[in-house]
Amino acid sequence: MRDRVRTADGRILTVERSGDPLGSPVFLLHGTPSSRLGPAPRSMVLYHRRMQVIAYDRPGYGGSDRLKGRRDADAARDVEAMADRYGLERFAVVGRSGGAPHALACAALLPERVTRAAALVTLAPPDAEGLDWFEGMAASNVRAFSTGVADPDEMAACFIARSARIRENPVQLLDDLHKELTHADRMVVKDAGIRSMLLRNYQEALRTSAYGWIDDAQRQHRVAEPGGIGGGRGLPNAHRPGRLEVGGREHHHGPPVVGGGLGALGRRVGDVARMDPEPGPAQDRLAQGRPARPAQQGQGERLVRESDETDGKAARAEAVPPPPAPLRGRAG
């Protein structure tokens, strides 16, 4: 179900809700560039788990108004505005890739409301000690981030021109990305249904402008400033959710601290919805600047292999665990 939410400063956020409207709420923060129409568990799976997923276009993407110069902390205010609109006192957050630092900001700044959080294939702080931030990153992203540091205006002009081409032919972005995907992601993207979803997603993300993409890229270099949470730092002990999860292995479009494939998203959303909200070692590892180990998958998870008539067989990971337990008392 599509909706529009007005923030306290008068901006409009375009929102997509799916699954059980009375289920456990999970805010899903999309990657870069992306939109509310990006990868997400199917509604019937969400109903089975008694979950609802709330995805929205980050400012500047799709149908959401731009917030120039936004920082990670602004995502927490936007999520809070949506939660208030829907009467959700407590909720979980999941962020993928460019959305992962925003999910961590929600965990840090809304400790009374965020019960648990997951950061999937998250970006690391560019000034993290002992980290070669560009090691293992796709060449296209190395060029984009390097240009963003040296000449932000040139980067913006490049993104504007590229977005115009993608609006005319969204297949171009998918073809460009395919050259730099891991083998696991290529297997997923071979699926005709997933390709169709990704094309709709990119087309919607850049439908009105390139500024969501530009602002996402520029915010990465503001992580050390107030309101910039970065890749997991800036989470003081008093501002940790009941459970933090950082996971993944292979991901060439971001720094190598964490990574993972498209197929992991459904599993992780399910993990976050059913995590025990008691503090665990993930927070301690994250506070030390190290990635947390992925959570052990539930026994009810299974790998579903579906055959596509035109593109052959593609493995699709899909978690089908028992329904999650009700949310428990105050976390933190």
Side-chain angles (χ1 to χ4, degrees):
M1 180 182 69
R2 188 167 304 172
D3 194 11
R4 286 156 60 93
V5 173
R6 187 177 295 276
T7 63
D9 58 2
R11 291 178 294 111
I12 293 295
L13 300 173
T14 299
V15 184
E16 199 84 22
R17 300 178 71 186
S18 57
D20 183 351
L22 300 179
S24 299
V26 179
F27 281 90
L28 177 57
L29 281 59
H30 63 72
T32 303
S34 191
S35 76
R36 69 189 186 282
L37 304 182
R42 291 179 290 180
S43 286
M44 70 175 187
V45 176
L46 296 173
Y47 268 99
H48 176 79
R49 299 179 186 169
R50 299 200 300 271
M51 288 172 53
Q52 60 172 309
V53 164
I54 303 107
Y56 74 104
D57 294 334
R58 212 158 31 249
Y61 286 111
S64 292
D65 294 336
R66 185 189 184 193
L67 178 59
K68 187 176 181 179
R70 60 178 163 84
R71 291 170 166 78
D72 298 342
D74 294 307
R77 286 185 278 272
D78 287 348
V79 166
E80 188 171 35
M82 289 179 281
D84 289 345
R85 163 71 177 270
Y86 301 129
L88 304 174
E89 182 60 32
R90 303 177 76 231
F91 46 83
V93 290
V94 176
R96 182 183 183 276
S97 191
H102 299 85
L104 294 176
C106 293
L109 301 175
L110 302 174
E112 304 295 330
R113 305 187 71 171
V114 173
T115 58
R116 57 209 79 177
L120 313 183
V121 295
T122 185
L123 295 170
D127 59 348
E129 184 178 352
L131 174 68
D132 181 351
W133 200 73
F134 292 116
E135 180 185 359
M137 188 188 291
S140 61
N141 274 14
V142 172
R143 289 192 297 271
F145 282 120
S146 299
T147 303
V149 173
D151 191 342
D153 290 338
E154 180 183 348
M155 184 201 71
C158 290
F159 278 18
I160 289 171
R162 189 178 180 192
S163 295
R165 294 193 297 270
I166 291 168
R167 279 194 290 275
E168 294 178 3
N169 178 24
V171 175
Q172 178 182 329
L173 178 56
L174 196 57
D175 289 344
D176 289 346
L177 292 175
H178 189 271
K179 302 169 188 175
E180 298 175 323
L181 290 177
T182 64
H183 174 73
D185 281 350
R186 286 179 180 174
M187 290 299 296
V188 174
V189 174
K190 281 178 63 176
D191 183 281
I194 290 180
R195 279 185 67 88
S196 178
M197 176 273 295
L198 290 174
L199 290 176
R200 290 194 304 272
N201 174 44
Y202 295 140
Q203 196 165 28
E204 175 64 13
L206 304 173
R207 174 171 56 86
T208 56
S209 76
Y211 285 110
W213 195 0
I214 292 167
D215 293 339
D216 266 359
Q218 292 182 344
R219 64 141 291 281
Q220 178 59 29
H221 302 289
R222 292 193 292 266
V223 296
E225 300 176 11
I229 302 299
R233 298 183 308 174
L235 286 171
N237 290 339
H239 284 184
R240 293 176 184 162
R243 180 72 179 265
L244 266 172
E245 191 66 26
V246 183
R249 290 174 184 165
E250 289 187 65
H251 186 53
H252 294 172
H253 290 273
V257 167
V258 293
L262 291 170
L265 182 60
R267 297 199 302 275
R268 289 298 181 195
V269 170
D271 288 342
V272 168
R274 70 177 186 269
M275 280 180 188
D276 184 346
E278 293 300 324
Q283 298 97 308
D284 298 328
R285 292 173 61 82
L286 196 59
Q288 297 169 23
R290 296 181 292 153
R293 287 187 289 269
Q296 183 177 2
Q297 304 301 326
Q299 294 181 350
E301 182 177 308
R302 58 191 175 91
L303 181 66
V304 179
R305 293 187 177 272
E306 297 184 355
S307 177
D308 183 82
E309 294 180 355
T310 57
D311 290 277
K313 294 183 178 180
R316 183 179 299 170
E318 187 172 86
V320 188
L327 296 179
R328 297 193 288 182
R330 174 178 171 180

